[in-house]
Amino acid sequence: MRIGWNEYFLAQSHLLSLRSTCERLKVGATIVKDNRVIAGGYNGSVSGEDHCIDVGCLLEDSHCIRTIHAEINALLQCSKFGVSTEGASVYVTHFPCVHCTKSLVQAGIKNIFYAKGYKNHEYALNLLDKTGVNYERIDFDNHRVAKYFESEI
């Protein structure tokens, strides 16, 4: 039994989400180019700063301003190390917010695969349609993925 690419990359995103330091929603993102992982990210605080799990969320207009979203963390990792995201795909545990969607489009991401919808903003959907970025919800079941491990034992 062999895991498919979509499940494989979404499983990595779910694993990344376990590092999240935000109590409101744990999100992971994996950027992939030519079936190779080029970056991963999870939502959390700026390096060296307090984490929501330690001191609580810093809310402004019901949004946590302490947290950097998973997609942005992954894009910043590419930027920091000089890795091009042009034509890449991103696998995310949840549909990207409108700000992350804009950043992904601007970074040249061509495919957004996500496991769960999350406040799928109308402008984000329209922007993806207008720019030709493919977005697709992928059925992901962590119990099904866990069965791959059970078959190896």
Side-chain angles (χ1 to χ4, degrees), residues 78-140:
C78 288
S79 176
K80 187 175 185 178
F81 295 106
V83 178
S84 172
T85 55
E86 186 67 37
S89 299
V90 66
Y91 290 80
V92 194
T93 55
H94 297 79
F95 187 83
C97 75
V98 67
H99 301 295
C100 287
T101 298
K102 292 185 294 184
S103 296
L104 292 167
V105 168
Q106 196 69 4
I109 298 293
K110 291 300 176 200
N111 298 289
I112 299 172
F113 300 106
Y114 62 99
K116 296 178 186 169
Y118 181 74
K119 300 181 182 178
N120 300 25
H121 196 281
E122 185 178 339
Y123 177 74
L125 295 168
N126 289 336
L127 180 64
L128 293 173
D129 290 337
K130 186 176 182 179
T131 58
V133 174
N134 174 58
Y135 58 98
E136 183 180 346
R137 187 187 155 295
I138 302 295
D139 182 38
F140 182 81

Side-chain angles (χ1 to χ4, degrees), residues 2-14 91 138-146 148:
R2 186 174 187 199
I3 193 170
W5 287 117
N6 285 340
E7 277 189 316
Y8 175 71
F9 294 127
L10 273 176
Q12 289 191 39
S13 296
H14 280 83
Y91 290 80
I138 302 295
D139 182 38
F140 182 81
D141 179 356
N142 58 357
H143 295 98
R144 185 175 65 233
V145 172
Y148 289 104

